[in-house]
Structures are given as C-alpha cells and as structure tokens.
Amino acid sequence: MKTLFTLLTALILILSSCVSIAQSPKPPDRQVAITIDDLPGGMANRLPASEITAMTAKLLTTLRDQKVPVVGFVNEKSLYKPGEVDERIKMLQMWLDYGFELGNHTFSHISLNQSGLKAWEDDVIQGESVIKLLLTARKMKLRYFRHPFLDTGRDLETRREAEAFLVERGYRIAPITLDGWDWMFAGVYEDAKKRNDTALQQQLVKEYLAFHEASIAYAEQLSLKVVGYEPKQILLLHASNLEADHIDELLDMLRKRGYRFITLGDALSDSAYSLPDTYVGEEGSGWLEHWAITQGKIPQGAPPFPQWVIDRSRTMQLPTGQVSADQQQY
Ligand SMILES: [Zn+2]
C-alpha cells in the first residue's frame, strides 16, 4: 500500500510538471533590429541641450549594457539652436562613442508626400552634412535612410524616383515592421515628468508596454499571413525621455516573446525585404502593411491606440499627426 501511495505521488508529480511545461511553452526564436528616430531627440526644440544630453546618455547606457545594436536616424535641423550647436553635435558623437550607427532621416523631417520630390531630395542632401563628417572620421559610411512619417510617396512614379535617388547616393532604405507609436506616449510622458506627476508617468508606461506588446503580437500574426513566416523584424522607436527611462522594460518584454537583438544589416538580409511592394498612399505605414496591400490583402485587427493618450496629446497641443484610435502613423 505504501509503495502504491509512493508510486501515485510520483505519478502526480510527473503529471503536474508536464502541465506546468505545457502552460509556459518556450517562445519561438525571433529576431528584431532596433532603430531609433528623430535624433538628437523628438523634443529637441523644447528641451535645453543639458537635458537632451542626459537623456541620450541614459538611453545609450542601457542599450550598450544590454548589447543591443541600434541605428539612430538624425534630423540635423535640430542641431542648430543658437549657442548649443557644439553641444548638440556632441550628442550625435555619443551615439558613435557608445558603438552605435547613425543614419539620415532628412534635415527637417520633411514628408515626401507633402513636399514634392525636388524639395525632399534637397532636404535629404542637407541632412547628410554633419553625420557624414562624424562617420567618416571613424571610417564608417553613411548607409541607411529612414523616411520621415514613413511617407514613401503618394504615387508610384514619385516613390520609385525617390528610391533611385537614395540608391544613387549610397543609401539602403530602412523599412519598419514593428511600431508601438512610442512618440505618442513620449510627449505626454515628457510633460508628466516635468510636473513630477509620477502616477501619470506610471499609467503611461503601463499603457506604452501593453500597446507595444499588442502591436507586436498583431505584427507577428500579419507576418504569417503576408510573408508566410515571421521575418527578422525591424522596430521603430524614437529618442525621448520615455525610452531613456523605460526601454529596459520594453527589451524585457521582447525577450519574453523570444526575440534576440540583431543589427539592421542582419535584419535586411531576410528575403522578406525583397517582396514585391507597390504600396502608395497619403499615409505612411509599416512594410508588413505595404506587402499585405500589394498582395490585395487588407490588414485587419490592429489594436486600438488608447484614446485617453490621444486626447491628452491634443489638449497639450502636441502633434498627433493623422492618428486615430485605429490608424497608424510615423
Ligand atoms: Zn521621424
């Protein structure tokens, strides 16, 4: 009887450990390249250089310590604040000092869809001056370009001409496939931080993490429908105090979903980035949506952006772009 009892206990233990394994399946092996736009900072016009420098140091320290490769995309117009130019150029140097790479995001964050091709091309060229010098001094090449607002052209002719122009200047276009609209949270966070409203900051961070996770889960599903597998993804983030203070929590969430962090060059080696793409539209969007629409599929099921964050942004007269609870931007 005692033996039977022991056997039963052993069986129960084995079964329960099987159940616990089944409850927490190992996440699939996933890969993502992190890109950060609007350097030296999305709020660079509103913040003094000392604060942007502190934000940059904090953000880059976390990324370096966690060995996350990043390309940062620059708007050089933000460097030209009287009396602060040297200090602001030093912020870009910090990115290189910490071992990261810089790309061009145009001089003034100009939209190809709004400006017309010629003005846009001029802005691309103007956006190269400082970063080219900084990269050359380190024997690096300026090789990546990110479209502001993800606007790639309202018609196919403009889109293709702009792409040919970029290729001719030695650029590889940096697409994006993952986007949790961090810039929308970042503006409200900045204000809450300034006012020492810690409750609001916590609420925003919780929402920012939840919305990123929902957006990433959506992109993974869309990947399967459009690409047939989950390609090496590219995540779009923006330089801000929100990221400086909380990117570690975002990286943790990504790791829990099975993501490893890879370089942008590695991500672009995925054949998904050669899929047919004839997307044109008024609104910029991610490349999974480009491929879906090219295939005649309508992307559906994107998570709604929290309305209260949009409302607060509007109250504070922050840019909300074309954002609505079910539309995407940047
Ligand atoms: Zn941008």
Side-chain angles (χ1 to χ4, degrees):
M1 192 64 196
K2 201 179 169 197
T3 318
L4 186 63
F5 181 76
T6 313
L7 270 173
L8 274 172
T9 312
L11 194 63
I12 288 164
L13 277 172
I14 291 164
L15 281 172
S16 65
S17 72
C18 288
V19 168
S20 81
I21 289 165
Q23 277 170 345
S24 54
K26 199 170 168 288
D29 180 32
R30 291 169 162 147
Q31 297 175 58
V32 62
I34 308 273
T35 59
I36 300 185
D37 284 13
D38 301 357
L39 272 50
M43 307 294 279
N45 299 332
R46 297 173 185 227
L47 295 180
S50 58
E51 282 183 37
I52 313 169
T53 300
M55 177 274 284
T56 305
K58 192 171 182 187
L59 177 65
L60 297 183
T61 300
T62 304
L63 292 167
R64 183 188 57 190
D65 290 354
Q66 301 205 20
K67 299 188 171 46
V68 178
V70 174
V71 179
F73 289 90
V74 179
N75 301 121
E76 289 194 9
K77 188 181 181 186
S78 301
L79 301 174
Y80 297 102
K81 190 160 181 196
E84 290 188 353
V85 178
D86 287 351
E87 211 176 333
R88 284 170 182 249
I89 291 174
K90 279 198 187 108
M91 294 167 199
L92 299 184
Q93 268 168 335
M94 276 172 71
W95 280 76
L96 302 175
D97 290 342
Y98 277 70
F100 300 107
E101 182 165 352
L102 297 174
N104 187 356
H105 193 37
T106 73
F107 179 75
S108 67
H109 209 275
I110 194 172
S111 157
L112 176 58
N113 292 5
Q114 306 298 324
S115 68
L117 186 60
K118 181 68 177 74
W120 180 85
E121 288 180 353
D122 289 345
D123 215 67
V124 172
I125 295 169
Q126 202 182 349
E128 295 171 347
S129 327
V130 176
I131 46 177
K132 222 170 202 174
L133 281 174
L134 297 180
L135 288 165
T136 308
R138 288 161 202 253
K139 299 194 171 26
M140 293 168 78
K141 276 191 81 178
L142 176 57
R143 51 180 182 161
Y144 293 120
F145 177 83
R146 162 76 40 77
H147 290 82
F149 308 101
L150 304 178
D151 284 350
T152 48
R154 284 196 292 194
D155 59 81
L156 205 53
E157 194 189 345
T158 306
R159 181 170 175 188
R160 294 293 181 245
E161 277 186 45
E163 286 167 351
F165 167 82
L166 291 171
V167 169
E168 201 179 309
R169 292 194 75 79
Y171 288 108
R172 180 91 202 251
I173 294 164
I176 70 111
T177 58
L178 305 181
D179 183 5
W181 296 4
D182 69 327
W183 60 278
M184 277 286 289
F185 295 97
V188 184
Y189 180 87
E190 195 64 53
D191 179 65
K193 187 171 171 135
K194 204 185 295 166
R195 294 185 292 100
N196 286 318
D197 186 343
T198 48
L200 179 56
Q201 285 176 67
Q202 279 169 11
Q203 202 184 349
L204 280 162
V205 171
K206 211 174 134 205
E207 201 88 70
Y208 145 90
L209 290 169
F211 186 69
H212 271 79
E213 181 141 36
S215 301
I216 289 164
Y218 160 74
E220 289 160 358
Q221 289 304 309
L222 188 57
S223 294
L224 297 179
K225 283 181 206 151
V226 173
V227 186
Y229 64 93
E230 290 181 32
K232 296 178 179 184
Q233 309 279 11
I234 303 171
L235 173 63
L236 170 61
L237 300 174
H238 295 82
S240 67
N241 270 312
L242 173 63
E243 293 300 354
D245 294 347
H246 297 284
I247 198 168
D248 54 337
E249 291 152 72
L250 190 70
L251 297 173
D252 281 347
M253 181 273 283
L254 284 162
R255 277 194 205 94
K256 280 193 192 112
R257 295 189 76 82
Y259 284 96
R260 290 185 283 124
F261 303 106
I262 58 171
T263 63
L264 181 57
D266 187 355
L268 289 172
S269 72
D270 196 302
S271 57
Y273 296 98
S274 317
L275 280 172
D277 179 358
T278 54
Y279 173 82
V280 285
E282 295 289 325
E283 297 300 320
S285 79
W287 266 245
L288 288 168
E289 287 81 8
H290 285 197
W291 301 323
I293 290 162
T294 303
Q295 293 170 14
K297 295 170 184 160
I298 299 164
Q300 279 173 323
F305 189 87
Q307 186 63 44
W308 69 269
V309 182
I310 299 174
D311 294 343
R312 265 190 188 263
S313 298
R314 293 213 169 112
T315 314
M316 293 163 53
Q317 299 189 318
L318 290 170
T320 53
Q322 300 299 322
V323 100
S324 67
D326 58 2
Q327 185 54 263
Q328 95 148 14
Q329 171 76 357
Y330 249 39

